[in-house]
Amino acid sequence: MSEELRVESWLVSAGRPEGCGSPLNTPLVPASNFLLGSERGYARDNGTPTWEALEEILGGLEQGRSVAFSSGMAAISAVFDQLSAGARVVLPEDCYQGVSGLVAAGARKNGWSVRRLAVEDTAAWVEAAAESDLLWLESPSNPLLIVAELDVICAAPRKTGAILAVDNTFATPLHQQPLELGATFSIQSATKFIGGHSDLLAGVATTREEQRWQALRVSRELHGATPGTLEAFLAVRGVRTLALRLQRAQQNAMELAERLSRHTAVACVRYPGLAAHPTHAAARRLLKGFGPVISFDVRGDADAACRRIRLIRHATSLGGVESTMERRAAVPGQGHLPAGLIRLSVGIEDVEDLWKDLCQALA
Ligand SMILES: *Cc1c(COP(=O)(O)O)cnc(C)c1O
């Protein structure tokens, strides 16, 4: 990111074409190949101007270089692709289920050994760093919203050549900068807040290490995990308003979290912005904002509440302008979660309308 620009200005101005007569916006370039004589050649190998705009914007946010992929899981897979057979992997107990599945497959096929640690057990992560080939962290975690002490964990001495990767989807680069703390990779499911409108699948991995960046590119090329052109265009269009959307949605989320914690139908609210949250201190220290996602446990029938919701949509995923919620234990592979736990991704609607809807659904 250029030195003189703040994040909000970078989001709006980066990745635009230069030169007289150029279109103001990043063009949607639907091309598999380019006329020879330049570096470009074939899109799967060398990218397209539309993907590069997304990579420029996100790379600049973390002062690294980004590679855009077809989904968050494709970006994550490209990171795990850098492991050798027999690698020692550490995952958080509260972890995106796709990553758990990916690592389970790696254990079967490549003999990876897998340990799982509580997100908040900083001492265990520090100890594991010295002897592991890959530490995978997600902070705030999904869906319990536990904040890892990334500053301490990233600074811990690591085994030579070890990778420390942070899934930064929930925080976004606006609230947390893992590479600045010393992580090898920062990963975004651009499907969520980056795109922001629940209308695309894309992912981005960012690193400051040239060889690691090259390896991501090779992985994308060989696995063909390329972003769709329209998706990259939409992600660029979406990310322009990221700062505004986040600010508004998390303001709503803070208000709703406070009100929910006083609601008689709610047993527990898990929001890093609340003083009662177990990792509130780490959240205050490490995050520039507490984010738009709230998890809460209801006392009654959580499925009924999800069915009754009207303005808030009963849907999975998160990060859109619209509020969505679902009972997480109902999701396959998530049966270990508290049965009444609802994950609410707060959007940019009016907070009083959202509250009215929640009240009628919880009544
Ligand atoms: C959604 C999500 C992913 C996976 O991203 P896709 O774009 O769906 O492949 C990974 N990590 C987190 C934290 C997510 O929320």
Side-chain angles (χ1 to χ4, degrees):
M1 189 158 56
S2 69
E3 302 260 309
E4 63 274 19
L5 288 184
R6 305 281 176 99
V7 169
E8 291 78 1
S9 314
W10 175 260
L11 286 173
V12 171
S13 63
R16 292 187 186 273
E18 296 288 343
C20 293
S22 296
L24 180 63
N25 283 306
T26 307
L28 200 161
V29 181
S32 55
N33 46 352
F34 297 83
L35 297 179
L36 294 175
S38 82
E39 300 237 307
R40 229 176 250 297
Y42 193 56
R44 177 163 53 72
D45 305 341
N46 303 309
T48 77
T50 315
W51 310 353
E52 280 165 14
L54 179 61
E55 291 168 343
E56 181 188 330
I57 297 166
L58 286 187
L61 285 178
E62 298 204 57
Q63 283 103 61
R65 291 185 82 187
S66 294
V67 181
F69 290 88
S70 49
S71 67
M73 279 310 300
I76 290 167
S77 296
V79 170
F80 280 93
D81 212 23
Q82 304 196 11
L83 287 180
S84 313
R88 301 168 76 167
V89 178
V90 187
L91 291 188
E93 278 168 6
D94 190 32
C95 182
Y96 184 71
Q97 77 264 26
V99 177
S100 304
L102 180 71
V103 171
R108 285 193 304 274
K109 292 187 295 195
N110 308 320
W112 296 345
S113 70
V114 186
R115 273 181 78 193
R116 301 195 80 132
L117 300 176
V119 178
E120 66 274 30
D121 190 352
T122 307
W125 285 96
V126 166
E127 207 173 294
E131 58 194 35
S132 306
D133 299 296
L134 187 146
L135 299 183
W136 185 266
L137 278 141
E138 206 184 295
S139 182
S141 68
N142 180 14
L144 299 176
L145 305 174
I146 306 167
V147 178
E149 292 189 288
L150 283 185
D151 50 350
V152 180
I153 298 168
C154 289
R158 243 173 268 164
K159 181 179 171 185
T160 309
I163 293 170
L164 195 160
V166 179
D167 184 334
N168 204 29
T169 299
F170 273 48
T172 83
L174 267 56
H175 289 167
Q176 179 167 260
Q177 300 256 322
L179 303 184
E180 193 62 35
L181 297 172
T184 323
F185 293 105
S186 175
I187 296 102
Q188 281 291 317
S189 167
T191 309
K192 315 293 169 55
F193 296 105
I194 302 298
H197 295 76
S198 309
D199 56 3
L200 64 91
L201 287 163
V204 178
T206 306
T207 179
R208 291 182 181 175
E209 297 173 28
E210 174 66 22
Q211 284 192 334
R212 295 284 185 197
W213 180 80
Q214 289 290 355
L216 289 173
R217 292 279 301 233
V218 168
S219 189
R220 180 176 73 181
E221 177 185 334
L222 297 183
H223 293 282
T226 51
T229 303
L230 177 62
E231 284 76 0
F233 177 87
L234 288 172
V236 168
R237 182 174 162 128
V239 81
R240 301 277 185 225
T241 55
L242 176 63
L244 274 176
R245 286 186 282 107
L246 272 185
Q247 189 183 25
R248 164 69 176 223
Q250 76 176 358
Q251 200 178 320
N252 284 350
M254 188 73 212
E255 183 64 32
L256 293 177
E258 281 172 350
R259 293 189 192 183
L260 282 169
S261 51
R262 293 191 296 267
H263 196 288
T264 51
V266 175
C268 163
V269 179
R270 305 162 193 268
Y271 184 65
L274 294 178
H277 188 270
T279 56
H280 178 63
R284 288 191 75 106
R285 186 170 87 243
L286 290 162
L287 298 172
K288 288 210 184 86
F290 300 121
V293 183
I294 303 173
S295 289
F296 59 99
D297 303 12
V298 299
R299 292 187 207 282
D301 185 344
D303 286 321
C306 288
R307 278 195 306 271
R308 278 200 294 263
I309 216 84
R310 286 196 291 261
L311 173 62
I312 300 171
R313 305 320 309 257
H314 183 201
T316 192
S317 199
L318 54 115
V321 290
E322 68 292 323
S323 299
T324 55
M325 72 181 221
E326 69 172 333
R327 188 172 76 83
R328 282 306 287 177
V331 175
Q334 299 288 288
H336 62 287
L337 293 168
L341 184 131
I342 289 176
R343 188 185 66 196
L344 168 62
S345 173
V346 181
I348 63 170
E349 302 91 338
D350 181 89
V351 71
E352 297 302 338
D353 289 333
L354 292 173
W355 180 241
K356 234 185 282 172
D357 197 25
L358 279 172
C359 286
Q360 65 80 18
L362 291 170

